Amino acid sequence: MKEAIGMIETLGMIGSIEAADAMLKASDVQLVSHEFVDGGIVTIIVAGDVGAVQAAVEAGKAAAERIGKVLSAHVIPRAADDIHNTILEKKPAVKQATKASKPAVRKAQAKDVTDSATDQ
């Protein structure tokens, strides 16, 4: 059985996070993607059963409208296989920082502190 796809597009990050939170709490859906589009536009994509996705999109839209601007919201009840293959399986919703990048940041910050201490 094909899953439904629900999308909410907001202007700004905070509204998108509020929408995603409400969508995930409202019904049994999975967060598929959090896309950053040019100009501050952010799209949240969820997937699940048709009824769950419809409920999630309505809840997410209402939540995002309370604190920001919703540009668009849409549900695709039975998305084509190509949509699932290219959009849903494209990438995980959350990127994790690698351990290698953290020490480099700490070293750079430490260098800035020692440089500013020697300047005084």
Side-chain angles (χ1 to χ4, degrees):
M1 184 170 110
K2 295 181 184 176
E3 290 186 318
I5 299 172
M7 300 158 281
I8 296 179
E9 195 167 70
T10 65
L11 184 59
M13 178 79 158
I14 295 172
S16 72
I17 293 171
E18 185 70 22
D21 182 57
M23 292 169 86
L24 296 173
K25 289 177 179 176
S27 61
D28 186 24
V29 294
Q30 294 179 337
L31 181 61
V32 173
S33 183
H34 193 219
E35 301 287 329
F36 300 95
V37 185
D38 197 25
I41 298 171
V42 184
T43 303
I44 302 294
I45 303 173
V46 296
D49 293 335
V50 176
V53 170
Q54 288 174 335
V57 168
E58 288 303 314
K61 184 178 171 184
E65 286 175 338
R66 282 194 298 270
I67 63 165
K69 184 174 182 179
V70 174
L71 301 176
S72 182
H74 186 65
V75 174
I76 301 175
R78 290 180 297 124
D81 289 336
D82 287 346
I83 297 295
H84 282 277
N85 295 338
T86 58
I87 294 176
L88 298 182
E89 296 174 8
K90 184 173 92 173
K91 60 184 177 181
V94 178
K95 294 181 183 177
Q96 294 182 357
T98 61
K99 290 183 180 182
S101 65
K102 290 182 181 181
V105 171
R106 289 187 190 131
K107 287 179 185 176
Q109 290 171 344
K111 185 177 187 283
D112 290 343
V113 171
T114 55
D115 288 345
S116 63
T118 57
D119 292 340
Q120 293 176 1

